[in-house]
Coordinates of all heavy atoms in Angstrom, one line a residue:
R1 N 84.1 3.1 -50.5 CA 85.0 4.1 -49.9 C 86.1 4.6 -50.8 O 86.4 5.8 -51.0 CB 85.6 3.5 -48.6 CG 86.3 4.6 -47.8 CD 86.9 4.0 -46.5 NE 87.7 2.9 -46.7 CZ 87.6 1.7 -46.2 NH1 86.6 1.4 -45.4 NH2 88.4 0.7 -46.4
E2 N 86.8 3.6 -51.5 CA 87.9 3.9 -52.3 C 87.6 4.2 -53.8 O 88.4 4.8 -54.5 CB 89.0 2.8 -52.2 CG 89.5 2.6 -50.8 CD 90.3 3.8 -50.2 OE1 91.0 4.5 -51.0 OE2 90.2 4.1 -49.0
G3 N 86.5 3.6 -54.3 CA 86.2 3.7 -55.7 C 87.0 2.8 -56.5 O 87.9 2.0 -56.0
L4 N 86.8 2.8 -57.8 CA 87.5 1.9 -58.7 C 88.9 2.3 -58.9 O 89.7 1.5 -59.5 CB 86.8 1.9 -60.1 CG 85.4 1.2 -60.1 CD1 84.8 1.2 -61.5 CD2 85.6 -0.3 -59.7
N5 N 89.3 3.4 -58.3 CA 90.7 3.8 -58.5 C 91.6 3.3 -57.3 O 92.8 3.7 -57.2 CB 90.8 5.3 -58.6 CG 90.2 5.8 -59.8 OD1 90.3 5.2 -60.9 ND2 89.5 6.9 -59.7
A6 N 91.1 2.4 -56.5 CA 91.8 1.9 -55.3 C 93.1 1.2 -55.9 O 93.0 0.3 -56.7 CB 91.0 0.9 -54.5
A7 N 94.2 1.6 -55.4 CA 95.5 1.1 -56.0 C 95.6 -0.4 -55.8 O 96.1 -1.1 -56.7 CB 96.7 1.8 -55.3
N8 N 95.1 -1.0 -54.7 CA 95.3 -2.4 -54.5 C 94.4 -3.2 -55.4 O 94.7 -4.4 -55.6 CB 95.0 -2.8 -53.0 CG 93.6 -2.4 -52.6 OD1 93.2 -1.2 -52.7 ND2 92.7 -3.3 -52.2
W9 N 93.4 -2.6 -56.0 CA 92.6 -3.4 -57.0 C 93.3 -3.5 -58.4 O 92.9 -4.3 -59.2 CB 91.3 -2.7 -57.2 CG 90.3 -3.0 -56.1 CD1 90.6 -3.5 -54.9 CD2 88.9 -2.8 -56.1 NE1 89.4 -3.7 -54.2 CE2 88.4 -3.2 -54.9 CE3 88.0 -2.3 -57.1 CZ2 87.0 -3.1 -54.6 CZ3 86.7 -2.2 -56.8 CH2 86.2 -2.6 -55.5
Y10 N 94.4 -2.8 -58.5 CA 95.1 -2.8 -59.8 C 96.4 -3.6 -59.8 O 97.2 -3.5 -60.7 CB 95.4 -1.4 -60.3 CG 94.0 -0.8 -60.7 CD1 93.3 0.0 -59.9 CD2 93.5 -1.1 -62.0 CE1 92.1 0.6 -60.3 CE2 92.2 -0.6 -62.4 CZ 91.6 0.2 -61.5 OH 90.4 0.7 -61.9
V11 N 96.7 -4.3 -58.7 CA 97.8 -5.2 -58.6 C 97.7 -6.2 -59.7 O 98.7 -6.5 -60.4 CB 97.9 -5.9 -57.2 CG1 99.0 -7.0 -57.2 CG2 98.1 -4.9 -56.1
V12 N 96.6 -6.7 -60.0 CA 96.2 -7.6 -61.1 C 95.1 -6.9 -61.8 O 94.1 -6.5 -61.2 CB 95.8 -9.0 -60.6 CG1 95.3 -9.8 -61.8 CG2 96.9 -9.7 -59.9
T13 N 95.3 -6.7 -63.1 CA 94.2 -6.0 -63.9 C 93.0 -6.9 -64.1 O 93.2 -8.0 -64.5 CB 94.8 -5.5 -65.2 OG1 95.9 -4.7 -65.0 CG2 93.8 -4.7 -66.0
H14 N 91.8 -6.3 -63.9 CA 90.6 -7.1 -64.1 C 89.9 -6.5 -65.3 O 89.9 -5.3 -65.5 CB 89.7 -7.0 -62.9 CG 90.3 -7.6 -61.6 ND1 90.0 -8.9 -61.3 CD2 91.1 -7.0 -60.7 CE1 90.7 -9.1 -60.2 NE2 91.3 -8.0 -59.8
L15 N 89.3 -7.4 -66.1 CA 88.6 -7.0 -67.3 C 87.2 -6.4 -66.9 O 86.7 -5.6 -67.6 CB 88.4 -8.1 -68.3 CG 89.7 -8.7 -68.9 CD1 89.4 -9.9 -69.7 CD2 90.5 -7.7 -69.6
S16 N 86.7 -7.0 -65.9 CA 85.3 -6.5 -65.4 C 85.3 -6.4 -63.9 O 86.0 -7.1 -63.2 CB 84.3 -7.6 -65.8 OG 84.3 -7.8 -67.2
Y17 N 84.4 -5.5 -63.4 CA 84.2 -5.4 -62.0 C 82.7 -5.6 -61.8 O 81.9 -5.2 -62.6 CB 84.6 -4.0 -61.5 CG 86.1 -3.8 -61.5 CD1 86.7 -3.3 -62.6 CD2 86.8 -4.2 -60.4 CE1 88.1 -3.2 -62.6 CE2 88.2 -4.1 -60.4 CZ 88.9 -3.5 -61.5 OH 90.2 -3.4 -61.5
F18 N 82.3 -6.3 -60.7 CA 81.0 -6.7 -60.5 C 80.5 -6.2 -59.1 O 81.3 -6.1 -58.2 CB 80.8 -8.2 -60.5 CG 81.4 -8.8 -61.7 CD1 82.6 -9.4 -61.8 CD2 80.6 -8.9 -62.9 CE1 83.1 -9.9 -62.9 CE2 81.1 -9.5 -64.0 CZ 82.3 -10.0 -64.0
S19 N 79.2 -6.0 -59.0 CA 78.5 -5.9 -57.7 C 78.3 -7.3 -57.2 O 78.3 -8.3 -58.0 CB 77.2 -5.1 -57.8 OG 76.2 -5.9 -58.5
F20 N 78.0 -7.5 -55.9 CA 77.7 -8.8 -55.4 C 76.5 -9.4 -56.1 O 76.5 -10.5 -56.5 CB 77.5 -8.7 -53.9 CG 77.1 -10.1 -53.3 CD1 78.1 -10.9 -52.9 CD2 75.8 -10.5 -53.2 CE1 77.8 -12.2 -52.3 CE2 75.5 -11.7 -52.6 CZ 76.5 -12.6 -52.2
E21 N 75.4 -8.6 -56.3 CA 74.2 -9.1 -56.9 C 74.4 -9.5 -58.3 O 73.9 -10.6 -58.7 CB 73.1 -7.9 -56.8 CG 71.8 -8.4 -57.4 CD 70.8 -7.3 -57.4 OE1 71.0 -6.2 -56.8 OE2 69.7 -7.5 -57.9
V22 N 75.1 -8.8 -59.1 CA 75.4 -9.2 -60.5 C 76.1 -10.5 -60.6 O 75.8 -11.4 -61.3 CB 76.1 -8.0 -61.3 CG1 76.6 -8.5 -62.6 CG2 75.2 -6.9 -61.5
L23 N 77.2 -10.6 -59.8 CA 78.0 -11.8 -59.8 C 77.2 -13.0 -59.3 O 77.3 -14.1 -59.9 CB 79.3 -11.7 -59.1 CG 80.3 -12.8 -59.3 CD1 80.6 -13.1 -60.7 CD2 81.6 -12.5 -58.5
N24 N 76.4 -12.8 -58.3 CA 75.6 -13.9 -57.8 C 74.6 -14.3 -58.9 O 74.4 -15.5 -59.1 CB 74.8 -13.3 -56.6 CG 73.9 -14.3 -55.9 OD1 74.3 -15.5 -55.7 ND2 72.7 -13.9 -55.6
N25 N 74.0 -13.4 -59.6 CA 73.1 -13.8 -60.7 C 73.8 -14.5 -61.8 O 73.3 -15.5 -62.3 CB 72.3 -12.5 -61.2 CG 71.3 -12.0 -60.2 OD1 70.9 -12.7 -59.3 ND2 71.0 -10.7 -60.4
Y26 N 75.0 -14.0 -62.2 CA 75.7 -14.7 -63.2 C 76.1 -16.1 -62.9 O 76.0 -17.0 -63.7 CB 77.0 -13.9 -63.5 CG 76.9 -12.7 -64.4 CD1 78.0 -11.9 -64.7 CD2 75.7 -12.3 -65.0 CE1 78.0 -10.8 -65.6 CE2 75.6 -11.2 -65.8 CZ 76.7 -10.5 -66.1 OH 76.7 -9.4 -66.9
L27 N 76.5 -16.3 -61.6 CA 76.9 -17.7 -61.2 C 75.7 -18.6 -61.3 O 75.7 -19.7 -61.8 CB 77.5 -17.6 -59.8 CG 78.9 -17.1 -59.8 CD1 79.3 -16.8 -58.3 CD2 79.9 -18.0 -60.4
H28 N 74.5 -18.1 -60.8 CA 73.3 -18.9 -60.8 C 72.9 -19.2 -62.2 O 72.5 -20.3 -62.6 CB 72.2 -18.2 -60.0 CG 70.9 -19.1 -60.0 ND1 70.8 -20.2 -59.2 CD2 69.8 -19.0 -60.6 CE1 69.7 -20.8 -59.4 NE2 69.0 -20.0 -60.2
E29 N 72.8 -18.2 -63.1 CA 72.4 -18.3 -64.5 C 73.3 -19.2 -65.3 O 72.9 -19.9 -66.2 CB 72.3 -17.0 -65.2 CG 71.2 -16.1 -64.7 CD 71.1 -14.8 -65.5 OE1 71.3 -14.8 -66.7 OE2 70.9 -13.8 -64.8
S30 N 74.6 -19.3 -64.9 CA 75.5 -20.2 -65.6 C 75.5 -21.6 -65.0 O 76.3 -22.4 -65.5 CB 76.9 -19.6 -65.6 OG 77.4 -19.4 -64.3
G31 N 74.7 -21.9 -64.0 CA 74.6 -23.3 -63.5 C 75.4 -23.6 -62.3 O 75.7 -24.8 -62.1
F32 N 75.7 -22.6 -61.5 CA 76.5 -22.8 -60.3 C 75.7 -22.4 -59.1 O 74.9 -21.5 -59.1 CB 77.8 -22.0 -60.3 CG 78.8 -22.5 -61.2 CD1 79.0 -21.8 -62.4 CD2 79.6 -23.6 -61.0 CE1 80.0 -22.3 -63.3 CE2 80.5 -24.1 -61.9 CZ 80.7 -23.4 -63.0
E33 N 75.8 -23.1 -58.0 CA 75.2 -22.8 -56.7 C 76.3 -22.3 -55.8 O 77.3 -23.0 -55.6 CB 74.6 -24.0 -56.1 CG 74.0 -23.8 -54.7 CD 73.4 -25.1 -54.1 OE1 73.6 -26.2 -54.7 OE2 72.9 -25.0 -53.0
I34 N 76.2 -21.2 -55.2 CA 77.2 -20.7 -54.3 C 77.0 -21.4 -52.9 O 76.0 -21.4 -52.3 CB 77.0 -19.2 -54.0 CG1 77.2 -18.4 -55.4 CG2 78.0 -18.7 -53.0 CD1 76.9 -16.9 -55.3
I35 N 78.1 -22.1 -52.6 CA 78.1 -22.9 -51.3 C 78.6 -22.0 -50.2 O 78.2 -22.1 -49.0 CB 79.1 -24.1 -51.5 CG1 78.6 -24.9 -52.7 CG2 79.1 -24.9 -50.2 CD1 77.2 -25.5 -52.5
E36 N 79.6 -21.1 -50.5 CA 80.2 -20.3 -49.4 C 80.8 -19.1 -50.0 O 81.3 -19.1 -51.2 CB 81.4 -21.1 -48.8 CG 82.1 -20.4 -47.6 CD 83.1 -21.3 -47.0 OE1 83.1 -22.6 -47.2 OE2 84.0 -20.8 -46.3
V37 N 80.7 -18.0 -49.3 CA 81.4 -16.7 -49.7 C 82.2 -16.2 -48.5 O 81.8 -16.2 -47.4 CB 80.3 -15.6 -50.0 CG1 81.0 -14.3 -50.4 CG2 79.4 -16.1 -51.1
N38 N 83.5 -15.9 -48.9 CA 84.4 -15.4 -47.8 C 84.8 -14.0 -48.2 O 85.2 -13.8 -49.4 CB 85.7 -16.3 -47.7 CG 85.4 -17.7 -47.2 OD1 84.5 -17.8 -46.3 ND2 86.1 -18.7 -47.6
Y39 N 84.8 -13.1 -47.2 CA 85.3 -11.8 -47.4 C 86.8 -11.7 -47.2 O 87.3 -12.5 -46.4 CB 84.6 -10.8 -46.5 CG 83.1 -10.7 -46.8 CD1 82.2 -11.6 -46.3 CD2 82.7 -9.7 -47.7 CE1 80.8 -11.5 -46.6 CE2 81.3 -9.6 -48.0 CZ 80.4 -10.5 -47.4 OH 79.1 -10.3 -47.7
S40 N 87.5 -10.9 -47.9 CA 88.9 -10.8 -47.8 C 89.3 -10.3 -46.4 O 88.7 -9.3 -45.9 CB 89.5 -9.8 -48.8 OG 88.9 -8.5 -48.7
P41 N 90.1 -11.1 -45.7 CA 90.4 -10.7 -44.3 C 91.2 -9.4 -44.2 O 91.1 -8.7 -43.1 CB 91.3 -11.9 -43.8 CG 91.8 -12.5 -45.1 CD 90.8 -12.2 -46.1
E42 N 91.8 -8.9 -45.2 CA 92.5 -7.7 -45.2 C 91.6 -6.5 -45.4 O 92.0 -5.3 -45.2 CB 93.7 -7.7 -46.2 CG 93.3 -7.6 -47.6 CD 92.9 -8.9 -48.3 OE1 93.0 -10.0 -47.6 OE2 92.4 -8.9 -49.4
G43 N 90.4 -6.7 -45.7 CA 89.4 -5.6 -45.9 C 89.5 -4.8 -47.1 O 89.1 -3.7 -47.2
Y44 N 90.0 -5.5 -48.2 CA 90.1 -4.7 -49.5 C 89.0 -5.0 -50.5 O 89.1 -4.7 -51.6 CB 91.4 -5.1 -50.1 CG 92.6 -4.5 -49.4 CD1 93.8 -5.2 -49.3 CD2 92.6 -3.2 -48.8 CE1 94.9 -4.7 -48.7 CE2 93.7 -2.7 -48.2 CZ 94.8 -3.5 -48.1 OH 95.9 -2.9 -47.5

C-alpha cells in the first residue's frame, strides 16, 4: 500500500528489504528453522 517510501520504514535505515519468500529462503539456506513469525501489531 505505502511502497518503499513509507516514512515509518526509514526510522532506522535498512541496507536491504526482503519479501517474505526471499527471507524465508535465506534463513533456511543459512541453516535456520523458522519456529514462529509475528506480524507487527501496529500494522506497519
